[in-house]
Amino acid sequence: MIKKIVYITLFALSLTSCNDTLDDINKNPNATETPLAPYLLTGTLKQGADLYWGADNNFNSSLLFVQHWAKIQYTEPDRYDVSNTSFTSLWNTGYATLITDLNTILNFPEAQANSNYKGIALTLRSWTFLLLTDAYGSIPYKEAGLKVTPAYNTQKEVYIGLLEDLKQAQSLLNTANGSVTGDLVYKGDIVKWKKLVNSLRLRIALRISDKEPGLAKQAAIDATNDTAGLISSNSENFKFTYITSPQQNPASAWFETRDDFRISKTMVDKLNELSDPRLPIYAQLPSDASVGKYVGGANGLSNSDANSQGFAKTSKPGTYFLTSTSPAIIVSYSETLFNLSEAVARGYIVGDAEQLYKSAITASFNQFGVTDAAIVSNYLNQTIVKYDATNYAKSIGTQKWIAFFGQGLDAFVEWRRLDYPILKAGPATVLDGQIPSRFFYPGTEQSLNGKSYQTAVSAQGKDLLTTKLWFDVK
């Protein structure tokens, strides 16, 4: 009996020793047991820029929907022949990577992350949720990261919640609250982060303007009256600047090995109509020198018809967007000025809507390197460009669509909200002449979070590309 006890004890000790050894083996010597706020911030900024500027959510989907770019081969996405596996990266990376890492910073004790880190994290988390609801509609928001099967919140609830989150972010950010490292965008400049917060608040105010005008007006007043101000120059644009391969601009990486996109004919035609000096920046001349002019690719063609336009006879997007170091613009001075112009036009704030509109166009010109005052003045003085106070949505919507070139997700939401310019689906598209109004939910939501998914769909409408979202009233 004593021998048995000894054997059992020795066996148990050996198992304990074995488990300890396995624990040591399973540790990654290159990974930190406790993540550091600066590293999480750096990673979030890089992955967020990739998510916003990369193929799945930008040039292989939303840039096609708004007819900034077109496909010259493999045209299925340009014909809207896609499935619920086509839009998974925004959802999966948004939740599993960005929101998870930002929540980690928010949950750190003060010793690991001062309030400026937390204010930045809350700002970036709000931006991520904004991208998600703009694209899908109802989304997990209040329970995201807290439950395995989180409930969905309506788009209205998300927008209103984000306005409150951004108020909190503003209160956390203070130049006296400690330094921030790992910030690849603003280099720890808290003043610029505070301006970004207010610019996002104004953006959301206009998102809800057609459904909740009273709340939208108050949100616009709050954002514009805040002493921190808004983005007030191109030097304050919220953008991620890439470096050389492999940390290069996603579009640059794509074009190194593939040739299946062109600038859209819709965009080229509009820029030609307006004698817009941004055309040679937005597009390259065709490689066939005999063509001698910018030629866009038509959207929504069959593969054979798209190919027949000629690879050498059509224009690729401009090199400005395709170099390794091309920046991912996320929130611009130009957008902020357009938003101020619209807020004035709606009667939310006091100001000169026409002058703000002109300043917004000028800021876009300057952003893309067009700085000659005479060129800018001549453009603004064209009858076709002048601000129309009787239809501000057309004036602002058209020019905002042009200024957003390359920013597919935000161009997509603003085109749906303002309804300009008027776009027509291509001849081989599969939605009975309609253009998508949203992204599909990932198919995994039906299997992994089915009850919440079904509740959301029953309230919002069928999980179709053509189902209009809450903010999209027309």
Side-chain angles (χ1 to χ4, degrees):
M1 182 67 180
I2 292 174
K3 287 183 179 181
K4 287 183 179 179
I5 293 172
V6 171
Y7 291 148
I8 291 169
T9 301
L10 289 173
F11 182 65
L13 288 171
S14 69
L15 283 177
T16 302
S17 176
C18 181
N19 286 339
D20 289 342
T21 302
L22 288 173
D23 287 343
D24 290 337
I25 291 171
N26 286 329
K27 288 180 180 178
N28 180 357
N30 298 315
T32 178
E33 292 292 316
T34 305
L36 301 177
Y39 297 148
L40 290 173
L41 176 57
T42 298
T44 298
L45 289 169
K46 168 63 165 60
Q47 292 173 90
D50 288 349
L51 191 69
Y52 183 77
W53 206 255
D56 291 353
N57 310 303
N58 194 33
F59 48 87
N60 212 26
S61 57
S62 55
L63 281 181
L64 303 176
F65 299 167
V66 296
Q67 297 179 18
H68 281 186
W69 290 21
K71 298 215 72 172
I72 197 164
Q73 60 178 334
Y74 314 121
T75 63
E76 287 78 10
D78 208 4
R79 295 187 289 112
Y80 322 136
D81 186 8
V82 293
S83 71
N84 60 12
T85 63
S86 301
F87 306 111
T88 58
S89 71
L90 178 58
W91 187 279
N92 292 342
T93 303
Y95 281 110
T97 302
L98 301 185
I99 291 170
T100 297
D101 287 351
L102 294 167
N103 279 341
T104 299
I105 296 175
L106 288 167
N107 292 327
F108 275 153
E110 179 69 19
Q112 284 182 262
N114 61 45
S115 66
N116 281 330
Y117 277 111
K118 294 181 180 182
I120 291 171
L122 191 52
T123 302
L124 292 173
R125 193 184 73 173
S126 299
W127 170 70
T128 305
F129 277 127
L130 183 58
L131 293 183
L132 288 163
T133 192
D134 285 345
Y136 299 101
S138 298
I139 56 167
Y141 167 59
K142 292 182 179 179
E143 295 183 357
L146 301 176
K147 293 185 178 181
V148 176
T149 55
Y152 286 53
N153 290 99
T154 66
Q155 186 166 71
K156 176 183 176 180
E157 291 171 339
V158 176
Y159 285 143
I160 293 172
L162 293 180
L163 287 172
E164 292 303 313
D165 286 346
L166 288 168
K167 280 186 183 179
Q168 183 183 354
Q170 192 64 274
S171 69
L172 289 167
L173 292 164
N174 191 303
T175 54
N177 288 350
S179 62
V180 168
T181 59
D183 174 9
L184 298 181
V185 174
Y186 285 144
K187 313 303 181 188
D189 189 335
I190 301 305
V191 171
K192 290 180 180 177
W193 278 104
K194 291 176 75 67
K195 289 185 174 186
L196 172 65
V197 169
N198 288 334
S199 299
L200 288 173
R201 293 167 73 185
L202 179 60
R203 177 193 279 188
I204 296 171
L206 295 177
R207 291 284 200 273
I208 66 175
S209 57
D210 286 333
K211 297 288 292 216
E212 294 287 338
L215 182 59
K217 180 177 182 177
Q218 189 58 54
I221 292 171
D222 291 345
T224 54
N225 284 350
D226 190 283
T227 57
L230 295 90
I231 291 173
S232 56
S233 72
N234 279 316
S235 65
E236 295 172 350
N237 287 346
F238 186 64
K239 66 179 181 180
F240 186 91
T241 301
Y242 290 94
I243 53 177
T244 57
S245 179
Q247 305 298 330
Q248 70 201 101
N249 181 288
S252 168
W254 185 280
F255 275 78
E256 282 182 359
T257 58
R258 299 186 60 157
D259 184 21
D260 43 345
F261 291 97
R262 294 293 183 268
I263 184 173
S264 171
K265 182 179 184 298
T266 306
M267 177 61 76
V268 171
D269 288 351
K270 178 57 71 175
L271 296 178
N272 277 325
E273 178 189 359
L274 302 178
S275 301
D276 197 305
R278 288 169 288 191
L279 178 55
I281 300 160
Y282 285 10
Q284 302 177 50
L285 286 169
S287 58
D288 183 344
S290 68
V291 178
K293 62 179 181 179
Y294 299 99
V295 179
N299 288 95
L301 301 183
S302 66
N303 278 303
S304 59
D305 286 346
N307 293 167
S308 69
Q309 297 175 104
F311 285 82
K313 295 184 180 298
T314 47
S315 295
K316 294 180 182 180
T319 56
Y320 177 95
F321 302 92
L322 304 181
T323 66
S324 294
T325 58
S326 295
I329 301 290
I330 297 171
V331 184
S332 69
Y333 178 41
S334 175
E335 180 203 347
T336 302
L337 288 168
F338 279 125
N339 289 345
L340 287 168
S341 177
E342 183 181 345
V344 172
R346 287 179 178 270
Y348 293 172
I349 60 175
V350 176
D352 186 334
E354 181 178 3
Q355 184 55 51
L356 287 163
Y357 167 81
K358 290 179 179 179
S359 297
I361 297 171
T362 303
S364 176
F365 276 31
N366 294 168
Q367 175 186 323
F368 292 111
V370 180
T371 57
D372 187 301
I375 292 175
V376 175
S377 178
N378 289 338
Y379 182 84
L380 294 174
N381 287 328
Q382 296 179 98
T383 301
I384 197 171
V385 173
K386 285 183 178 180
Y387 178 75
D388 182 358
T390 66
N391 192 352
Y392 67 82
K394 181 178 181 181
S395 294
I396 294 173
T398 300
Q399 284 294 333
K400 207 173 195 181
W401 174 77
I402 296 171
F404 265 139
F405 187 76
Q407 293 178 251
L409 287 169
D410 282 308
F412 183 38
V413 68
E414 289 296 86
W415 172 73
R416 287 175 286 162
R417 189 178 68 82
L418 292 169
D419 301 299
Y420 287 98
I422 296 172
L423 304 177
K424 295 182 179 180
T429 53
V430 300
L431 297 179
D432 296 323
Q434 297 183 74
I435 295 173
S437 292
R438 60 182 293 274
F439 283 9
F440 285 128
Y441 289 119
T444 51
E445 278 298 285
Q446 298 180 44
S447 56
L448 300 178
N449 194 16
K451 183 177 179 181
S452 297
Y453 165 85
Q454 291 295 343
T455 300
V457 169
S458 65
Q460 176 170 278
K462 293 181 179 180
D463 188 8
L464 301 174
L465 293 178
T466 52
T467 296
K468 288 187 176 293
L469 301 184
W470 174 80
F471 76 86
D472 186 5
V473 299
K474 297 178 182 178

